[in-house]
Amino acid sequence: MSLAPRPFLSLCAADIMSKSMVIVPREMSLQGAARLLGRASVSGAPVVDDAGRCIGVISTTDFMHWVEHDQTPGTAGFKNTMSNPWQMSESIDACSHVKDCMTGNPVLVKPTTRIGELARLMMEAHIHRVIVVEGASQRPVGIVSSTDILAAVSRADAQEPHDTTPGAARAADTIY
């Protein structure tokens, strides 16, 4: 028996989230976090407290803000602090911790949050990822990035029959 594909808008966080994710402790050094994210080839991750609760997110944007605010232009090392998102020079204070740089009050969602709501939350907050947490414990169980939503759109489009007759473009496909 073959299961029919689910309608796109019925997809939820649990359907599209990445379950394997980097989790960063709040007490980790910024250098350590940069190396951890770089090795995993990801641009952001949830930050957890000692109980494993998600208390923030650390991302390339946070590192860029840290460099903007804590490094002075013209000082040694400023121009070379980062040559790509995760190459941070040794000039970055090894005593700085993730908790000092992360974005607090992360957008947390349940695994049942539908894809339209995920997209709306990301757009309203101007973010590229939401953290999927389990119940009251607020422990991360997954992450949904804007790329995960785009991948779901691509899969849904691939399953959609397309009319290839000349002149059969729908109004929604027309660029004005």
Side-chain angles (χ1 to χ4, degrees):
M1 175 168 83
S2 175
L3 295 174
R6 290 177 57 190
F8 176 73
L9 290 177
S10 72
L11 294 175
C12 61
D15 298 322
I16 64 171
M17 71 183 185
S18 300
K19 293 177 185 164
S20 125
M21 68 188 137
V22 172
I23 296 178
V24 180
R26 70 175 169 199
E27 296 298 328
M28 181 177 263
S29 72
L30 287 178
Q31 287 179 346
R35 282 192 286 275
L36 181 65
L37 295 174
R39 285 186 200 121
S41 297
V42 296
S43 61
V47 177
V48 297
D49 64 12
D50 295 337
R53 289 184 305 261
C54 184
I55 58 165
V57 173
I58 187 80
S59 71
T60 54
T61 302
D62 296 313
F63 285 101
M64 295 302 289
H65 288 303
W66 187 88
V67 169
E68 277 178 358
H69 292 58
D70 289 351
Q71 297 287 322
T72 306
T75 61
F78 179 80
K79 291 180 183 173
N80 296 319
T81 301
M82 291 193 277
S83 57
N84 77 42
W86 296 116
Q87 290 181 333
M88 298 177 73
S89 78
E90 296 302 315
S91 68
I92 290 180
D93 184 2
C95 295
S96 295
H97 295 96
V98 168
K99 67 182 178 186
D100 303 323
C101 179
M102 71 179 193
T103 298
N105 299 317
V107 177
L108 306 177
V109 298
K110 298 176 187 175
T112 56
T113 305
R114 293 176 68 154
I115 196 165
E117 177 70 2
L118 296 169
R120 185 187 65 72
L121 289 168
M122 286 183 200
M123 287 176 35
E124 287 179 357
H126 302 284
I127 57 175
H128 297 281
R129 68 193 55 77
V130 294
I131 310 303
V132 184
V133 295
E134 63 179 31
S137 74
Q138 293 192 338
R139 291 178 185 215
V141 295
I143 190 166
V144 175
S145 70
S146 50
T147 303
D148 295 320
I149 293 175
L150 289 172
V153 169
S154 177
R155 286 190 300 272
D157 183 62
Q159 295 171 352
E160 188 80 19
H162 295 281
D163 187 350
T164 57
T165 333
R170 300 177 304 199
D173 293 334
T174 304
I175 299 174
Y176 295 94

